[in-house]
């Protein structure tokens, strides 16, 4: 099927806007739950997948297979903004210095398996449970976002 220019621009605009906004909101929610309420599950990721999915679905009139694939890319962009806004809440404006370090990008990529790493470092059943739940939430969020944009929610 052909890709229509108006649909593609709508999907790109809606996807980028929703990934930035939902990423910032998810980072703030993760900070609230993780640092203040001491409940370190990635609740903001569920919010991100629904915000990005439904916003991108509204961006096109004719479906194309490219749009669900772009939703995965926008989820990754939202994860970046989520991680960065989380660090801004912790470090303040000093978090901008983290963008120049490779460890920020490593943490951004390896965030779902962080608790499993801690579990293997010093065994704790709580960290094992949190690590498994976080990985399940990450997989669920990416699959749901893909399905929403595809049209099966």
């Amino acid at each position: 099927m052909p890709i229509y220019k108006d649909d593609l621009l709508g999907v790109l605009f809606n996807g980028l806007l929703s990934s930035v906004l939902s990423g910032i909101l998810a980072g703030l929610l993760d900070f609230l739950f993780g640092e203040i309420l001491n409940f370190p599950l990635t609740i903001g990721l569920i919010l991100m997948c629904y915000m990005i999915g439904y916003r991108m679905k509204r961006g096109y009139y004719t479906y194309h297979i490219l749009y669900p694939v772009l939703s995965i890319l926008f989820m990754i962009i939202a994860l970046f903004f989520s991680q960065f806004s989380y660090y801004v809440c912790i470090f303040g404006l000093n978090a901008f210095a983290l963008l120049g370090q490779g460890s920020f990008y490593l943490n951004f990529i390896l965030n779902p398996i962080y608790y499993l790493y801690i579990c293997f470092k010093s065994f704790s059943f709580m960290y094992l449970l949190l690590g498994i739940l976080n990985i399940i939430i990450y997989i669920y969020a990416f699959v749901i976002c893909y399905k929403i944009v595809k049209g099966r929610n």
Side-chain angles (χ1 to χ4, degrees):
M1 294 191 71
I3 299 177
Y4 297 108
K5 180 181 175 184
D6 293 337
D7 285 346
L8 183 62
L9 289 176
V11 166
L12 290 176
F13 176 75
N14 286 325
L16 187 62
L17 181 68
S18 64
S19 67
V20 170
L21 294 177
S22 67
I24 291 171
L25 183 62
L28 295 175
L29 282 175
D30 286 344
F31 175 75
L32 174 71
F33 282 108
E35 299 296 325
I36 296 175
L37 299 177
N38 202 15
F39 185 70
L41 282 179
T42 55
I43 303 297
L45 195 64
I46 302 297
L47 176 75
M48 271 193 310
C49 78
Y50 284 108
M51 283 180 70
I52 292 171
Y54 284 121
R55 188 69 189 167
M56 283 183 68
K57 188 174 179 173
R58 289 187 205 143
Y60 64 85
Y61 293 108
T62 56
Y63 172 77
H64 194 274
I65 189 66
L66 177 68
Y67 304 148
V69 174
L70 283 174
S71 71
I72 301 298
L73 174 72
F74 287 127
M75 282 288 291
I76 294 171
I77 292 171
L79 284 173
F80 173 78
F81 280 102
S82 171
Q83 189 77 16
F84 184 70
S85 66
Y86 179 79
Y87 283 135
V88 166
C89 289
I90 292 176
F91 299 121
L93 292 178
N94 294 334
F96 285 101
L98 291 174
L99 290 176
Q101 298 177 356
S103 63
F104 172 76
Y105 300 103
L106 185 63
N107 288 338
F108 153 66
I109 294 170
L110 297 178
N111 194 21
I113 58 173
Y114 174 72
Y115 291 106
L116 290 178
Y117 169 72
I118 291 176
C119 176
F120 289 126
K121 194 173 177 182
S122 62
F123 185 75
S124 171
F125 182 72
M126 184 66 176
Y127 286 129
L128 178 67
L129 183 64
L130 283 173
I132 291 171
L133 283 175
N134 275 333
I135 289 174
I136 289 171
I137 289 172
Y138 267 78
I139 292 170
Y140 173 78
F142 276 91
V143 168
I144 290 299
C145 185
Y146 183 87
K147 286 184 178 182
I148 288 172
V149 175
K150 191 173 182 178
R152 296 182 195 158
N153 47 355

